[in-house]
Amino acid sequence: MNDLLPLWIVLAVLLFVGLVTLGTVSVRRRGRRDVVEPPPAPSAPPVAVDDGAVAPEAVEAPPEVEEPEAAEAAPAIERPEPVGGRLVRLRERLARSGSPLGARLLSVLSRDHLSEDDWDELEETLLLADVGAGPAGELIDALRTKVRVLGVRDAASVRDLLRTELVALVDPTLDRSLATTPRTGEDGSTVPAVVLVVGVNGTGKTTTVGKLARVLVAEDRSVVLGAADTFRAAAADQLETWGSRVGVPTVRSDRDGADPAAVAFDAVRRGRTEGADVVLVDTAGRLQNKQGLMDELGKIRRVITKEAPLAEVLLVLDATTGQNGLNQARVFGEVAGVTGIVLTKLDGTARGGIVVAVQRELGVPVKLVGLGEGPDDLAPFDPEQFVDGLLGD
Ligand SMILES: Nc1nc2c(ncn2[C@@H]2O[C@H](COP(=O)(O)OP(=O)(O)OP(=O)(O)O)[C@@H](O)[C@H]2O)c(=O)[nH]1
């Protein structure tokens, strides 16, 4: 038995070591499983990690969260400012711009004895304000006669006299109303009033069409826009944005350089189908050469009149371009059959005389004026308000 004792001791030691080793492995295994296999995550909302990545679950946002967001994103339809109040603003803006025209005319006319030099100075002032040689000469003649006959001297009388003569020059007798009343077709359907808007690029045509849509919406008219400026890709987007702000649809082509006449035709047809009151058609009107312009506008006119007669052709002119604007007016007047003028950017010039010059040049009235880049900065033109603005308070 004693011979076997060392063997028993060895076996006992081995058994002990074996048991200790097993225990250690089991503890390590349990510890490692705690790291690799965490308890299932609770169904909490996904969280973006610090490096900017988003947990995969974040992509699948629950629908009940998305719905209110989509509803918030829907653009609200704007209610444009009433047109009546804008006339006051026209006067205020012109007066605030401190137009040198009225102030300079008044300061010369108020001198004690008007010499030939004074009359020359008055004429020069009118020419610098783009009134044009013919109308400036007429005004000087009328003022000379009245000053001599009436002996006008005090400041208030001089102002009254100048006001009367300037209003006469701008001509309050011209019909400045916009033809935007729909007709009834032979079949009893509504035939919209079609307004074609032409002019050189950059004068503010697209902006004017957008603002005019707002004027009409403010007067409770239903409107369709036609984006026939297919030359400048962004013009249709620009027009669509103007329209969508006041809930007015825009007919456009998805293809750059599409036939403008085809777009104009589609717009007028849609206007007829929907029984709209007015269809406003924006054009590119590139002035490369007279023949090209005549061909393009001629085709647009022809296709439109297959669906509805043209109620107005509005020529958009930039008031800040002076003589250059007049040259453009001449060409468009010859090829487009213009019925009214929209003078934009009147807020950016002290040379209001262009109103007189362009009316004389084309023999058609200024019907609307642009007073700024704001959405409701388009006002119907009124000679008396305009002259009061020029003369200041
Ligand atoms: N200050 C001022 N800016 C205006 C007025 N009307 C238009 N504009 C600005 O003139 C710029 C040109 O206007 P658009 O409407 O794009 O001109 P457009 O004639 O359609 O130009 P094209 O599409 O290139 O033919 C824009 O920055 C307008 O905001 C205005 O009455 N006053």
Side-chain angles (χ1 to χ4, degrees):
M1 185 70 187
N2 281 347
D3 292 345
L4 294 176
L5 191 62
L7 187 63
W8 284 116
I9 289 171
V10 168
L11 280 174
V13 167
L14 282 175
L15 188 65
F16 177 74
V17 169
L19 285 173
V20 166
T21 307
L22 261 177
T24 308
V25 168
S26 139
V27 168
R28 277 201 188 144
R29 273 218 177 134
R30 212 169 39 239
R32 209 180 295 149
R33 196 169 53 232
D34 285 346
V35 173
V36 174
E37 298 167 25
S43 56
V47 180
V49 294
D50 285 349
D51 63 1
V54 177
E57 291 88 346
V59 178
E60 294 164 23
E64 60 271 20
V65 174
E66 275 180 359
E67 273 171 19
E69 278 175 4
E72 269 171 30
I77 302 291
E78 295 173 21
R79 185 75 198 156
E81 182 188 296
V83 178
R86 300 181 195 188
L87 295 171
V88 177
R89 202 165 69 223
L90 161 67
R91 186 180 165 174
E92 282 171 358
R93 285 210 182 167
L94 286 170
R96 234 192 0 251
S97 75
S99 165
L101 176 61
R104 285 184 65 189
L105 292 176
L106 280 174
S107 85
V108 178
L109 278 172
S110 305
R111 288 174 193 162
D112 268 352
H113 298 288
L114 291 172
S115 65
E116 279 309 307
D117 283 351
D118 292 331
W119 288 111
D120 285 350
E121 190 180 337
L122 281 174
E123 190 160 8
E124 197 184 314
T125 305
L126 291 167
L127 293 177
L128 284 173
D130 289 332
V131 170
E138 282 171 33
L139 182 67
I140 296 296
D141 288 348
L143 288 171
R144 266 181 190 267
T145 309
K146 298 251 167 84
V147 167
R148 197 173 52 233
V149 173
L150 302 174
V152 183
R153 276 291 166 265
D154 64 291
S157 308
V158 167
R159 192 181 187 288
D160 281 354
L161 172 64
L162 185 58
R163 183 182 187 279
T164 307
E165 294 306 322
L166 282 173
V167 169
L169 203 64
V170 179
D171 199 349
T173 64
L174 295 175
D175 179 9
R176 296 173 197 277
S177 60
L178 268 188
T180 52
T181 308
R183 303 177 181 197
T184 304
E186 283 171 10
D187 58 355
S189 65
T190 300
V191 181
V194 182
V195 179
L196 186 64
V197 179
V198 301
V200 172
N201 52 304
T203 51
K205 285 185 308 297
T206 307
T207 311
T208 296
V209 172
K211 289 176 181 174
L212 186 51
R214 296 176 69 94
V215 167
L216 294 166
V217 167
E219 291 173 344
D220 291 322
R221 303 289 182 92
S222 56
V223 182
V224 169
L225 301 179
D229 179 355
T230 55
F231 187 88
R232 187 166 65 90
D237 294 338
Q238 198 183 328
L239 198 62
E240 203 164 27
T241 303
W242 276 100
S244 62
R245 286 174 67 176
V246 284
V248 165
T250 300
V251 174
R252 57 179 294 176
S253 170
D254 289 331
R255 198 165 50 81
D256 281 355
D259 183 0
V263 178
F265 180 82
D266 287 348
V268 177
R269 174 155 281 184
R270 171 139 177 208
R272 281 206 74 159
T273 311
E274 294 189 359
D277 296 323
V278 188
V279 178
L280 300 176
V281 180
D282 185 22
T283 62
R286 300 274 133 177
L287 194 55
Q288 287 137 343
N289 62 64
K290 197 167 152 186
Q291 187 58 46
L293 186 73
M294 207 182 292
D295 291 348
E296 182 177 311
L297 291 179
K299 187 174 175 193
I300 292 176
R301 288 180 69 106
R302 275 196 309 281
V303 300
I304 284 178
T305 45
K306 280 184 190 162
E307 280 291 301
L310 266 175
E312 290 270 5
V313 179
L314 295 179
L315 171 62
V316 178
L317 284 178
D318 178 339
T320 65
T321 56
Q323 191 59 43
N324 196 22
L326 281 186
N327 294 338
Q328 297 166 10
R330 223 167 278 137
V331 178
F332 276 92
E334 284 168 28
V335 307
V338 175
T339 58
I341 297 157
V342 183
L343 210 50
T344 58
K345 311 184 193 181
L346 208 55
D347 53 304
T349 178
R351 302 173 163 198
I354 190 80
V355 171
V356 175
V358 76
Q359 285 187 162
R360 288 289 177 97
E361 185 67 43
L362 289 186
V364 292
V366 170
K367 293 192 169 181
L368 295 160
V369 286
L371 302 167
E373 299 199 63
D376 292 325
D377 282 339
L378 184 76
F381 183 71
D382 177 272
E384 302 209 352
Q385 297 268 358
F386 175 67
V387 169
D388 285 342
L390 286 182
L391 292 177
D393 290 324

